[in-house]
Amino acid sequence: MEDLQNKLQAELDKFKAVGKEYHNAISQRQVLDGQLHENMGVKTELDLLKADGEVFKMIGPVLVKQELTEAKQNVNKRIDYITNELKRMDDMISNLDAEQDKHKEKLATLQMQFQQEQMKAAASKA
Amino acid sequence: MSTKEKPEMQQIELSKLSLANLTQLKKQLDQEIGVYQDSMQALKLAQTKYGDSKEALEKIQPDAKDSRIMVPLTGSMFVPGTIDDTEKVLVDVGTGYYLKMSMESAKDYFKRKVVFVTEQMEKIQSLGMERSKIRDAVMGVMEVKIQTQMASQKPPQVPGVST
């Protein structure tokens, strides 16, 4: 009986830990998604910029002039990086999702066992 | 997370769900509606910001050259200055990039941004409405369930109220 309870508690803790990780992954994904959109916006603006336009990049407290081609390259690089990160996040999220389901199942069976034990104990007392 | 599958799934199963499940569903929907409302507010803010910037640009006419202005260095401190260039402005386009562009391009940029934000707002509004509708349906089913449950608990008093 006690053994089962300990097992149940351990499984519950594991389940909760996975849940937390899952939430973290989701919010990280959202941040990345936002960054991707922002970079996409910058890219369209850079593409739309006329020949007489100039590009500045804020580095710390100063604005540094940058070549348009260089800026475009940088933004493209960032977009690539973020897209890769997003993919990695998606994989991680689906893995965590599967893990969560597994834990949920285990938890359910353990809970059933626990209840049965409890009933048995109650019946033997009565 | 996807918007496609949810409504159908819920419409089919609503009456079959247990009260506990329904409560959970309602909580989730409430949360989603809250997120949409927050986004709406953020978008509204962005919309006015872009609108204001565009308006400020309209005020800078070519004849404003050399006019005296007060330049805010911080939120509470200003220094006198003169407008040197009325042809070009520097626009923050995000991720630390600033583009120097002509008046027309800048106005065009803000116009596009306002249109974009407005479109997003419309999208979110319709999504939020959809969620509200589902939430209302869930609440309706919950009410019926609670009533039938109550009626079954003390049957002899009232001959079952159904809506």
Side-chain angles (χ1 to χ4, degrees), chain B residues 11-158:
Chain B
Q11 260 159 26
I12 300 166
E13 291 173 19
L14 263 190
S15 55
K16 283 184 199 155
L17 289 172
S18 71
L19 207 53
N21 281 339
L22 282 171
T23 321
Q24 207 185 359
L25 185 61
K26 185 181 165 285
K27 223 198 229 158
Q28 194 192 331
L29 284 166
D30 279 339
Q31 234 168 33
E32 275 177 42
I33 290 169
V35 170
Y36 286 133
Q37 271 165 355
D38 287 350
S39 315
M40 255 333 239
Q41 250 158 10
L43 281 171
K44 233 175 246 168
L45 220 70
Q47 196 188 32
T48 40
K49 244 169 68 185
Y50 284 129
D52 288 350
S53 298
K54 192 166 156 280
E55 226 171 277
L57 275 182
E58 316 267 350
K59 292 235 170 72
I60 305 178
Q61 301 290 338
D63 63 356
K65 194 166 161 52
D66 292 330
S67 46
R68 305 269 294 160
I69 51 163
M70 297 300 280
V71 183
L73 280 192
T74 69
S76 56
M77 198 186 82
F78 297 78
V79 289
T82 45
I83 295 181
D84 181 46
D85 189 351
T86 55
E87 316 273 277
K88 292 208 163 144
V89 285
L90 200 60
V91 181
D92 179 359
V93 291
T95 62
Y97 281 105
Y98 290 71
L99 303 187
K100 196 174 204 177
M101 47 172 100
S102 66
M103 274 294 175
E104 281 78 65
S105 312
K107 278 180 202 165
D108 191 50
Y109 168 79
F110 287 120
K111 214 187 284 172
R112 264 185 293 123
K113 281 288 170 188
V114 171
V115 170
F116 175 75
V117 172
T118 316
E119 268 171 19
Q120 297 300 312
M121 279 169 79
E122 276 161 15
K123 262 188 222 161
I124 286 191
Q125 184 135 45
S126 71
L127 277 175
M129 297 247 273
E130 195 189 310
R131 287 287 180 280
S132 297
K133 251 189 238 160
I134 300 174
R135 183 169 152 267
D136 286 348
V138 170
M139 271 167 52
V141 177
M142 269 169 81
E143 202 136 313
V144 173
K145 290 234 167 177
I146 291 171
Q147 264 171 14
T148 48
Q149 215 169 54
M150 291 222 295
S152 67
Q153 265 167 11
K154 38 179 179 176
Q157 280 179 347
V158 211

Side-chain angles (χ1 to χ4, degrees), chain A residues 38 42 45-46 48 50 52-58 63 66 74-75, chain B residues 1 88 90 93-102 105 109 112-113:
Chain A
E38 201 179 349
V42 175
E45 287 317 316
L46 286 175
L48 280 168
K50 305 222 170 69
D52 61 339
E54 288 171 59
V55 187
F56 295 86
K57 169 93 179 143
M58 177 91 92
L63 282 173
Q66 227 175 27
N74 282 341
V75 172
Chain B
M1 279 254 136
K88 292 208 163 144
L90 200 60
V93 291
T95 62
Y97 281 105
Y98 290 71
L99 303 187
K100 196 174 204 177
M101 47 172 100
S102 66
S105 312
Y109 168 79
R112 264 185 293 123
K113 281 288 170 188

Side-chain angles (χ1 to χ4, degrees), chain A residues 79-98:
Chain A
I79 288 176
D80 282 348
Y81 171 74
I82 293 171
T83 330
N84 279 334
E85 279 295 285
L86 265 179
K87 235 179 256 157
R88 201 174 65 84
M89 263 353 245
D90 278 341
D91 285 349
M92 202 164 125
I93 286 171
S94 60
N95 276 344
L96 282 172
D97 211 14

Side-chain angles (χ1 to χ4, degrees), chain A residues 27-45:
Chain A
S27 53
Q28 260 182 60
R29 211 211 100 99
Q30 271 167 351
V31 171
L32 280 173
D33 214 33
Q35 284 176 345
L36 182 67
H37 276 290
E38 201 179 349
N39 277 286
M40 288 295 204
V42 175
K43 186 179 147 71
T44 40
E45 287 317 316

